[in-house]
Amino acid sequence: MQFTTTLTIAALTALTHSLPAEYAASPRGWESITYPPGTGEGLHEYPAPSGGWESVTYPPGTGAGAGADCPATVSTFPFVFTSTYSVVAVGDQVRNGTTAAPGSADAVGYFNFGINSVEDTICYNITLLNVSGDYQSPAKTATHLHEAVRGASGPPRLSFPNPVGDDKRRVSFGCLTGPFTTGLAAGELADSGMGFKVAQIEVNPEGFFADSHTVLFPLGVVRGQLA
Ligand SMILES: *[C@@H]1O[C@H](CO)[C@@H](O)[C@H](O)[C@H]1NC(C)=O
Ligand SMILES: *[C@@H]1O[C@H](CO)[C@@H](O)[C@H](O)[C@H]1NC(C)=O
Ligand SMILES: *[C@@H]1O[C@H](CO)[C@@H](O)[C@H](O)[C@H]1NC(C)=O
């Protein structure tokens, strides 16, 4: 884990701690919460998945074995990350195929990710320093998780909102839940995000990298492997 820093893991933890207070404890009771349309409002409990609650495999630390009377362990919000990644992305990691195609020499990207592979959700906290000019990509955004090992190019599987700010510091944070789209066709896939599950990252983090593309550096201004 060449690019791991504990500082950025702490920052990611801060993201989970910035949940609305109702999730921690609702002083007026759960009945007082107004759920947005389409999130199961009015239900007394979450409907069982096909196969029943018994069929759900819980990751360690999320209340595994707590029993079917505890549907909160299959929440629709990632209370718990099954894994986290702190990536430091730099220009000299950028490739065109397997050929070096350096991005900016004095830019750096901090891509902090928290994954809940049960929910197929990824939370991101991305900071770009010293990235100047407009973004550019044929995908729907120019900030991605790509599938490829170190030293090679590969298709985007996730498309994150581009960090916003000035040419010194740009930031983007939030969470995405599958099914995912990138807006880009790849090979036989109408969209290179089709069928992608964040669990694939946990199985093989060495096989994925994060990057951002700009007009000045269309192949990537900074890039970093997840492991
Ligand atoms: C994102 O990470 C930065 C440090 O890299 C931290 O200062 C900030 O609080 C984090 N934002 C969230 C929403 O966690
Ligand atoms: C990447 O390399 C290919 C040749 O392998 C070349 O045709 C293409 O122009 C390069 N792309 C950029 C943006 O430099
Ligand atoms: C940003 O650019 C300035 C000026 O080129 C440089 O001094 C600084 O070290 C850079 N910051 C990072 C994080 O690379």
Side-chain angles (χ1 to χ4, degrees):
M1 292 283 283
Q2 187 180 345
F3 293 126
T4 297
T5 70
T6 50
L7 177 84
T8 47
I9 286 181
L12 194 55
T13 304
L15 183 64
T16 58
H17 291 163
S18 65
L19 297 180
E22 285 85 348
Y23 282 107
S26 176
R28 284 152 285 123
W30 292 109
E31 298 74 11
S32 68
I33 297 171
T34 307
Y35 295 94
T39 57
E41 68 278 20
L43 293 178
H44 283 295
E45 54 188 325
Y46 292 109
S50 58
W53 293 113
E54 299 73 14
S55 69
V56 178
T57 307
Y58 298 96
T62 56
D69 58 347
C70 191
T73 55
V74 201
S75 72
T76 53
F77 200 93
F79 289 97
V80 172
F81 293 140
T82 50
S83 58
T84 61
Y85 302 89
S86 296
V87 177
V88 180
V90 293
D92 73 7
Q93 291 289 306
V94 178
R95 293 292 181 277
N96 179 4
T98 53
T99 306
S104 170
D106 66 0
V108 61
Y110 298 100
F111 291 76
N112 298 319
F113 298 118
I115 285 177
N116 184 315
S117 50
V118 178
E119 308 290 347
D120 199 25
T121 293
I122 181 167
C123 297
Y124 54 90
N125 177 0
I126 303 167
T127 303
L128 299 178
L129 300 180
N130 277 354
V131 167
S132 55
D134 291 338
Y135 293 103
Q136 178 181 301
S137 170
K140 66 182 185 182
T141 74
T143 303
H144 307 137
L145 180 94
H146 290 257
E147 184 166 2
V149 295
R150 189 183 306 277
S153 297
R157 298 300 185 204
L158 298 175
S159 197
F160 303 102
N162 291 322
V164 294
D166 58 24
D167 289 355
K168 286 282 159 210
R169 186 169 186 273
R170 304 178 181 192
V171 177
S172 167
F173 59 86
C175 301
L176 300 173
T177 298
F180 303 104
T181 60
T182 64
L184 192 70
E188 299 190 341
L189 294 180
D191 187 291
S192 66
M194 256 172 88
F196 181 73
K197 302 267 188 251
V198 295
Q200 293 168 240
I201 300 169
E202 295 184 337
V203 172
N204 178 29
E206 295 84 356
F208 294 90
F209 69 87
D211 72 358
S212 203
H213 308 260
T214 63
V215 173
L216 290 173
F217 299 101
L219 291 168
V221 58
V222 290
R223 162 179 172 159
Q225 294 298 129
L226 264 63

